Amino acid sequence: LAVALSIPISVIGSFLVITLMGGTVNVIMLAGMAFAVGMVVDASIVVLENIYRHHQMGKDSTTAAYEATMEVWGAIFASTMTTLAVFIPILFMQEEVGQMFRDIALAISASIFLSMIVSILVTPTLAKSLLKDATREAKASGGLLSSLREHLFGLVPLARAFNRAVRGTLRTLFRSRTVQWLTVFVLTVP
């Protein structure tokens, strides 16, 4: 839930930023949004995983959310800035290439910057509340592990089947040099 909320907040916020910068919604801008959606969740996942790790270390939800976010915010900031360093110069290009890719660069830059803000402000707040609820539920039901089992019980057979399929595929690939070359050929030749 915490990670899923980062997508609409960042995308809707990006439309606001784009409108304020004089851009219009067009097909190229929507393509930029589609590219950015995969990157938007990365920062929130990093924060959420670190909060969960701190919570597993025995910290209460507020302390876990605060300390975990403070621990990784620098890395998230650096990651965001490296992505922005690639796309922001495109906004200032005057040639045809700059005009063509300006909308994509604006959409991706706005989405990525807003995802950083969401991961540092929204994700920890929501995770703190969710961890409180999970801890309360776990105490009532007899433990966090049993609570997680109840919630994830329906996904276990699917996960096992996927795991078996991946392991079988890898086993086949590792055994046969011909299959390896055939796989590389099929994946690289259109």
Side-chain angles (χ1 to χ4, degrees):
L1 178 64
V3 172
L5 279 177
S6 66
I7 297 171
I9 293 172
S10 298
V11 170
I12 292 169
S14 297
F15 284 122
L16 180 64
V17 170
I18 290 162
T19 304
L20 291 175
M21 292 191 71
T24 59
V25 177
N26 55 40
V27 174
I28 297 191
M29 178 149 323
L30 292 175
M33 289 292 197
F35 296 148
V37 166
M39 295 185 283
V40 160
V41 298
D42 292 343
S44 290
I45 289 172
V46 169
V47 171
L48 191 62
E49 287 294 323
N50 204 33
I51 290 170
Y52 183 73
R53 184 179 66 86
H54 277 263
H55 189 65
Q56 290 297 310
M57 292 170 26
K59 297 177 182 174
D60 66 286
S61 58
T62 304
T63 305
Y66 176 76
E67 290 180 4
T69 305
M70 293 304 292
E71 194 173 279
V72 296
W73 83 268
I76 290 170
F77 179 77
S79 172
T80 302
M81 290 303 121
T82 57
T83 304
L84 291 179
V86 171
F87 289 105
I88 286 182
I90 296 171
L91 297 175
F92 301 106
M93 290 181 169
Q94 298 299 320
E95 298 85 31
E96 292 85 14
V97 174
Q99 292 172 0
M100 190 164 77
F101 292 115
R102 182 180 190 279
D103 289 339
I104 289 177
L106 183 58
I108 291 175
S109 298
S111 295
I112 296 299
F113 183 76
L114 288 172
S115 75
M116 177 189 68
I117 301 298
V118 167
S119 71
I120 292 173
L121 299 177
V122 176
T123 302
T125 306
L126 189 56
K128 179 184 90 112
S129 299
L130 291 174
L131 284 174
K132 272 185 189 173
D133 293 343
T135 304
R136 200 175 304 125
E137 250 182 62
K139 286 179 183 172
S141 68
L144 186 59
L145 190 58
S146 64
S147 176
L148 286 173
R149 273 193 204 122
E150 288 174 20
H151 291 313
L152 299 175
F153 184 70
L155 298 176
V156 170
L158 181 64
R160 285 188 182 138
F162 179 74
N163 190 5
R164 277 193 303 273
V166 169
R167 285 180 20 208
T169 303
L170 290 175
R171 200 174 294 119
T172 304
L173 279 171
F174 291 150
R175 285 185 186 156
S176 171
R177 179 72 71 185
T178 306
V179 174
Q180 292 172 9
W181 282 106
L182 183 63
T183 303
V184 170
F185 180 77
V186 167
L187 291 175
T188 56
V189 176

